[in-house]
Amino acid sequence: MTAAAATIPANDHHALLARYDSRAPRYTSYPTALQFSKEVDSEVYGDWLGSLDPREPVSLYAHIPFCDRLCWYCGCNTRVVKKQALISEYVERLVDELALVEARLPGRLKAGAVHLGGGTPNMLSRDDLVRLFGALRHVFPFAPGVEISAELDPAVLTESWVKAAAFHGLTRASLGVQDLAPHVQEAVNRIEPFDVVARAAHWLRQAGVASINLDLMYGLPKQTTADVVATLDKVLTLRPERIALFGYAHVPWARSHQKLIREEDLADANGRFEQSQAAAERLVKAGYVAIGLDHFALPNDDLALGVATGTLRRNFQGYTTDQHPTLIGLGASSIGRMPAGYVQNLPAEVAWRDAILQGRLPVARGVKLTDDDRLRADVIERLMCDFQVDLAAVAARHGVSPMVFSGDIAKLADLHDDGLVNVDRDIVSVTEAGRPFVRLAAQAFDHRSDTREGFSRAI
């Protein structure tokens, strides 16, 4: 294919959205989690751990599935807990899981990155935080320059917690904001004044945490474009190093609490598109670099530098510069990435705990990677990160002919004809107008997701 006159003008967003308002994976992994199966069990995972290279540092992810409140938009594996003893017990089981992992490792592997996610990691008491970091460091000695990050809820954050986390090396914090309009916060059961967010950012800066990310959302119930821009105008006064701007994924069949959100309160595809574009324009005007599909960063941030050098990656936390080939997941529902494949822990805390108490790695499912999976993951990641991929170069890295992609290129015909994708020999590039549709371009190379059911809206 060569560049062609678009059958739908690139500025006719209404027509484009009408044609392409479908569902697609977010491609935080390939294969996606919907392709995980029970074929990968505790024994398989144990073998994978035993085959790791002891000289290669790994990334660690610990899932903390507790919150002080239930936000109705949330798609995470979490629940409301008021008793600190339950959280402390969970941390004890995390320590036990670490011991099970340690028993299968071929040696002492260093940790190059640590991420605490959830849920709300700052639901941990200071004592539990110390206990967890001690266990992590015992099993995986922290490498020099290790990046330690955590997702935090400003409403339940305390200054003492921030100081404790900073003492243990916290380098990056992600604050959940979503939207500051009171009527939107009420519609999603997350009341959080701007002063609370500003206070949290102040504590983090004072404690020496070098990088702050703010999580924002568009497409929330009763949210307007004016709400999105007004929220940005407030949070930009904090000058965060990064902003993640996610589109709300309405999947009530997967998260029953989302049924509390009335579908008639949600924006349609045109409304979502308008909100996302207005936000992007405001952020770029404020000096942020657009990163992939939904992230923004200051020009001197690692993400922006990753775009410039072609080293940007994508994983379950979104866009990252983490280059470690292995991610070890800990906690209920956590997902790990091994050179041989993906593995997910049991999502229910009771089942996860029982497996650990029985001395078993608490694995629920996973997927073994084939050579074709690795090939396609490479293509999809580059499209999602760079909006361009050299298919010949990818094919050469994997020892196959570029002709293997001929059928996939044919699937791009509609996107090409509408001016959203260009194909010049072996170079596939997403045009400026096509960037909001990049998930659909990536889907052309996906040989696993043969149905669009179960995925969120592509725009």
Side-chain angles (χ1 to χ4, degrees):
M1 301 178 195
T2 57
T7 57
I8 297 178
N11 61 356
D12 189 349
H13 298 137
H14 291 280
L16 289 171
L17 290 169
R19 173 174 286 191
Y20 296 111
D21 183 22
S22 60
R23 297 183 179 274
R26 290 182 183 269
Y27 290 116
T28 53
S29 72
Y30 182 81
T32 70
L34 286 185
Q35 277 72 56
F36 291 7
S37 75
K38 293 182 179 180
E39 178 186 6
V40 174
D41 58 15
S42 299
E43 288 306 310
V44 171
Y45 180 39
D47 290 343
W48 288 355
L49 289 170
S51 65
L52 293 175
D53 185 347
R55 299 167 298 179
E56 190 78 46
V58 301
S59 294
L60 305 176
Y61 172 78
H63 188 73
I64 312 299
F66 308 116
C67 288
D68 184 64
R69 55 188 170 173
L70 180 63
C71 303
W72 295 344
Y73 62 80
C74 184
C76 302
N77 183 63
T78 188
R79 66 185 178 97
V80 175
V81 170
K82 298 296 185 181
K83 295 182 178 179
Q84 193 63 44
L86 294 176
I87 301 175
S88 296
E89 181 188 2
Y90 180 85
V91 171
E92 285 301 314
R93 298 292 81 75
L94 276 176
V95 173
D96 291 341
E97 183 182 0
L98 272 163
L100 293 174
V101 169
E102 181 182 25
R104 303 302 291 265
L105 293 174
R108 296 274 283 175
L109 281 72
K110 291 184 178 181
V114 179
H115 184 76
L116 306 184
T120 305
N122 54 299
M123 288 286 288
L124 298 181
S125 69
R126 292 182 59 181
D127 287 346
D128 287 336
L129 187 67
V130 171
R131 177 85 170 100
L132 178 58
F133 269 112
L136 290 171
R137 289 178 183 273
H138 172 74
V139 178
F140 297 96
F142 290 1
V146 60
E147 179 178 282
I148 301 175
S149 56
E151 301 165 15
L152 307 176
D153 181 353
V156 294
L157 190 63
T158 66
E159 186 174 14
S160 63
W161 196 97
V162 170
K163 288 179 178 178
F167 176 81
H168 286 281
L170 185 69
T171 58
R172 188 185 309 282
S174 184
L175 298 174
V177 178
Q178 319 320 336
D179 191 280
L180 293 172
H183 61 275
V184 177
Q185 293 188 350
E186 184 178 353
V188 297
N189 194 42
R190 185 185 178 93
I191 307 304
E192 186 172 271
F194 173 67
D195 289 350
V196 172
V197 179
R199 181 185 65 186
H202 174 68
W203 286 338
L204 290 163
R205 297 289 191 203
Q206 274 197 323
V209 177
S211 180
I212 295 177
N213 171 77
L214 300 183
D215 283 340
L216 305 180
M217 296 186 82
Y218 64 88
L220 290 169
K222 298 186 178 181
Q223 189 180 36
T224 67
T225 299
D227 294 329
V228 174
V229 175
T231 292
L232 281 171
D233 285 341
K234 287 184 178 180
V235 301
L236 285 176
T237 62
L238 304 176
R239 204 59 174 171
E241 281 70 24
R242 297 179 183 180
I243 286 181
L245 179 70
F246 299 116
Y248 166 58
H250 192 59
V251 288
W253 58 86
R255 294 288 181 260
S256 60
H257 56 264
Q258 289 189 356
K259 294 176 183 177
L260 296 168
I261 292 176
R262 302 192 312 167
E263 296 207 14
E264 56 266 34
D265 288 338
L266 298 173
D268 61 13
N270 287 297
R272 288 170 62 91
F273 183 82
E274 181 182 285
Q275 291 174 18
S276 68
Q277 296 307 294
E281 290 173 9
R282 178 70 183 86
L283 286 164
V284 171
K285 184 178 179 181
Y288 286 79
V289 177
I291 309 293
L293 183 64
D294 46 24
H295 284 49
F296 299 83
L298 292 176
N300 60 347
D301 184 85
D302 286 348
L303 282 184
L305 299 176
V307 170
T309 59
T311 57
L312 191 66
R313 303 296 305 274
R314 188 159 171 81
N315 65 17
F316 289 100
Q317 280 74 57
Y319 290 102
T320 180
T321 55
D322 185 351
Q323 303 296 316
H324 301 104
T326 297
L327 169 66
I328 294 178
L330 303 161
S333 81
S334 67
I335 296 178
R337 181 191 67 244
M338 314 291 286
Y342 289 95
V343 61
Q344 183 173 26
N345 275 352
L346 291 156
E349 288 171 50
V350 172
W352 168 82
R353 180 199 64 199
D354 288 348
I356 292 171
L357 291 175
Q358 293 166 15
R360 291 187 291 108
L361 291 166
V363 173
R365 59 191 187 132
V367 62
K368 297 178 181 179
L369 294 178
T370 66
D371 289 342
D372 187 66
D373 289 335
R374 293 185 177 88
L375 172 74
R376 297 183 179 283
D378 198 346
V379 172
I380 289 170
E381 185 173 48
R382 297 287 31 100
L383 279 173
M384 294 296 297
C385 291
D386 305 332
F387 295 107
Q388 179 173 296
V389 62
D390 184 336
L391 296 178
V394 172
R397 284 199 295 271
H398 293 265
V400 299
S401 166
M403 292 300 294
V404 72
F405 298 118
S406 57
D408 308 308
I409 291 174
K411 298 176 187 176
L412 296 171
D414 287 345
L415 292 170
H416 171 267
D417 291 345
D418 289 332
L420 305 178
V421 168
N422 283 329
V423 181
D424 183 5
R425 297 185 181 179
D426 293 316
I427 307 293
V428 175
S429 55
V430 179
T431 66
E432 191 69 29
R435 290 192 171 202
F437 305 86
V438 65
R439 289 162 63 188
L440 298 176
Q443 198 169 37
F445 297 90
D446 182 343
H447 280 200
R448 289 269 199 167
S449 305
D450 56 359
T451 175
R452 295 186 179 184
E453 295 181 3
F455 298 115
S456 60
R457 292 169 70 175
I459 309 300

